[in-house]
Amino acid sequence: MKKFKYTAINADKKKITGTFMAEDEESLREQLILQKLYLVKSRAVSFKPPNAFFSVSGKVKVGELTTFCRQFSIMISSGILAIDCLSVLKNQSYTGYFKKVLEEMHEDVKAGKLISEAMEKHKNAFPEFFRSMTYVGEMSGTLDKVLVSLADYFESDSKLKAKTKSAMVYPIMLLVMLVAVVMLMMIFVIPTFRDSLAALDVEMPALTMTIFNFSEYLIANWMKIFLYVFVIFFLLFMFGKTKKGRYVYDTIKLKIPIIKNIQVNKASSKFARAFGLLIGSGMGIVEAMSIVSIVLGNKNIEKRFKVSAEAVTQGKTLTSALNEEKIFPDMLIQMISIGEKTDSIDEVLLKSCAFFDDLVERSLSRLTTILQPIMLLIMGLSVGVIFYAIYSPMLSIMTGLK
């Protein structure tokens, strides 16, 4: 498929210029005739997909996706053709990157592609789950309803992520304050007391000498220490970007009691919402499971979920397949079992989303409730030990004078 820039005339002999995707010039001519346009001249132009590098995150923001879904849904449900919807949407107030994506989609749909096919070229803009749901909507003739469901899904998912980040802000601030206070005392406070006590020629306790030596080493080698810490964190970060690293980190998360609850409940909420939407849109269970695995948010859970998906393809029921891997809470498994028996899995799962969202919020609240006093206790103990190390020699001198 090539991109052509063309000049044509209509029945009123008015000159019209534009771009169009076609196999060759003859195909372009035929497509324009269908639109009652007659080709005058054309030339192939190089096609480059819009570059996500200059967008803020390399992807389209959730807010833009949800706005796009709702606007598109309203126009589709009003009886406007998809090609005309895209013609309007590409001129809306989106970011430059997303506008270019919509322009390319508009050209592809004009050339006869499905909307979901046009989205395949723009994987940075549209997540796989989004593209799959759009395809289901097109095939089932319920694209308007699917788009609304997608908007609701991404809004709910975004709120859950925001709550998770918000819950961790205060503990992280306390950790930063702890490191900052200890560093300031080691660099500025300890040296002053060390020089004063050295002038008195007093025998120092072991704890005091340890603190003094550490302070001296920190001042002399702070650049090396900073570099080592930076390199270690950078390597850990880059390891987490690899498939193996992500799997290792996600497995560790499932070993820590409270964090495990957060991970499992988040995965349960995402599964219930996404799987319910797919099944409700008319997709089969096996195909829906292959798509849902990508939205679970934990590679360890995703791996075990794929084992369950394979078991379903071999004839097992969804309930027994999920129960064997022990991925989700018993309550969710029981709800799926009820859904299978009543042939209403989608309804049961979509109604359970709010429950698991609430469990995530409770787990996050519990985590911050536990972390805050622990961080304050560590901060208090650290400062207390340093002050004791400093003042214990002085107390000894005062006791000797008495």
Side-chain angles (χ1 to χ4, degrees):
M1 193 76 70
K2 297 177 183 177
K3 184 177 182 180
F4 287 90
K5 192 170 185 179
Y6 68 86
T7 302
I9 57 172
N10 59 15
D12 298 325
K13 295 186 178 180
K14 184 179 178 181
K15 188 180 287 188
I16 294 170
T17 60
T19 58
F20 206 95
M21 301 292 290
E23 292 291 343
D24 50 35
E25 190 172 297
E26 187 60 33
S27 176
L28 171 65
R29 190 186 307 278
E30 292 172 1
Q31 292 292 333
L32 291 175
I33 288 173
L34 292 175
Q35 299 179 41
K36 297 182 179 180
L37 297 174
Y38 303 94
L39 183 64
V40 175
K41 62 178 181 179
S42 68
R43 63 183 177 87
V45 294
S46 60
F47 168 73
K48 290 182 180 179
N51 193 344
F53 180 78
F54 295 104
S55 67
V56 176
S57 63
K59 296 181 180 180
V60 176
K61 292 180 180 178
V62 173
E64 282 191 313
L65 278 180
T66 54
T67 302
F68 167 76
C69 287
R70 295 199 187 284
Q71 290 178 337
F72 202 175
S73 172
I74 290 169
M75 288 189 280
I76 289 287
S77 60
S78 301
I80 301 173
L81 295 175
I83 183 69
D84 296 325
C85 294
L86 289 172
S87 180
V88 173
L89 288 168
K90 68 186 179 70
N91 295 315
Q92 298 302 304
S93 56
Y94 297 120
T95 58
Y97 168 62
F98 195 40
K99 275 188 175 183
K100 288 180 181 178
V101 167
L102 295 179
E103 286 170 6
E104 296 295 347
M105 281 180 58
H106 180 250
E107 294 297 327
D108 285 340
V109 174
K110 263 203 314 185
K113 286 188 175 183
L114 292 172
I115 297 168
S116 52
E117 288 178 324
M119 287 179 177
E120 285 295 329
K121 287 164 56 176
H122 309 287
K123 295 181 180 180
N124 279 330
F126 302 103
E128 186 176 344
F129 178 69
F130 191 104
R131 302 194 305 271
S132 299
M133 283 289 292
T134 304
Y135 174 76
V136 172
E138 287 183 294
M139 293 297 100
S140 61
T142 58
L143 184 59
D144 54 337
K145 295 178 182 178
V146 167
L147 288 168
V148 172
S149 298
L150 278 170
D152 292 339
Y153 171 83
F154 281 103
E155 281 178 352
S156 300
D157 191 52
S158 179
K159 286 177 183 177
L160 197 59
K161 288 178 180 176
K163 287 174 182 177
T164 304
K165 290 178 180 178
S166 177
M168 296 307 297
V169 168
Y170 187 58
I172 290 172
M173 285 179 61
L174 287 177
L175 179 62
V176 171
M177 286 178 60
L178 170 61
V179 173
V181 167
V182 171
M183 292 293 286
L184 286 171
M185 292 188 72
M186 287 293 177
I187 294 172
F188 297 104
V189 178
I190 298 296
T192 304
F193 281 93
R194 183 184 61 215
D195 295 340
S196 300
L197 291 171
L200 295 174
D201 193 23
V202 181
E203 185 178 350
M204 303 293 175
L207 178 61
T208 304
M209 286 304 302
T210 301
I211 297 293
F212 284 174
N213 290 336
F214 179 70
S215 172
E216 190 175 349
Y217 178 81
L218 189 63
I219 293 169
N221 300 280
W222 68 271
M223 288 189 69
K224 285 183 181 179
I225 294 170
F226 175 79
L227 182 62
Y228 291 153
V229 171
F230 175 80
V231 169
I232 289 169
F233 274 98
F234 178 76
L235 291 175
L236 290 173
F237 175 78
M238 294 306 294
F239 179 62
K241 291 291 184 181
T242 64
K243 287 184 178 180
K244 184 178 180 181
R246 176 78 184 276
Y247 179 81
V248 170
Y249 289 168
D250 285 347
T251 301
I252 292 172
K253 289 176 186 176
L254 294 176
K255 301 293 183 183
I256 305 171
I258 299 177
I259 295 177
K260 176 185 176 180
N261 291 339
I262 295 172
Q263 291 289 307
V264 171
N265 289 328
K266 281 177 71 174
S268 300
S269 174
K270 288 183 176 183
F271 166 77
R273 187 171 282 111
F275 197 73
L277 288 176
L278 288 169
I279 296 297
S281 300
M283 185 176 284
I285 289 179
V286 174
E287 190 179 356
M289 289 188 78
S290 66
I291 294 170
V292 165
S293 64
I294 63 174
V295 304
L296 296 177
N298 185 291
K299 291 297 180 183
N300 184 291
I301 292 175
E302 181 182 323
K303 183 178 180 181
R304 287 185 287 148
F305 185 82
K306 287 179 178 177
V307 174
S308 296
E310 182 63 29
V312 171
T313 62
Q314 293 173 3
K316 287 190 176 181
T317 63
L318 180 60
T319 303
S320 61
L322 292 175
N323 198 35
E324 283 180 6
E325 289 298 317
K326 303 295 181 184
I327 302 170
F328 302 121
D330 290 339
M331 180 173 286
L332 181 58
I333 301 297
Q334 290 169 8
M335 295 180 79
I336 292 170
S337 177
I338 293 169
E340 283 189 305
K341 291 174 183 176
T342 58
D343 197 24
S344 58
I345 294 178
D346 54 330
E347 294 178 16
V348 170
L349 289 177
L350 289 172
K351 287 177 181 178
S352 70
C353 297
F355 173 76
F356 288 105
D357 286 344
D358 185 53
L359 285 182
V360 173
E361 288 186 44
R362 290 184 192 177
S363 298
L364 286 170
S365 177
R366 187 182 172 198
L367 179 63
T368 52
T369 302
I370 292 172
L371 281 179
Q372 288 173 16
I374 289 175
M375 294 303 298
L376 290 171
L377 179 62
I378 292 172
M379 184 182 292
L381 286 172
S382 301
V383 174
V385 168
I386 292 171
F387 271 105
Y388 177 77
I390 291 171
Y391 284 106
S392 59
M394 300 177 67
L395 291 172
S396 299
I397 293 170
M398 293 173 66
T399 303
L401 289 174
K402 288 180 183 180

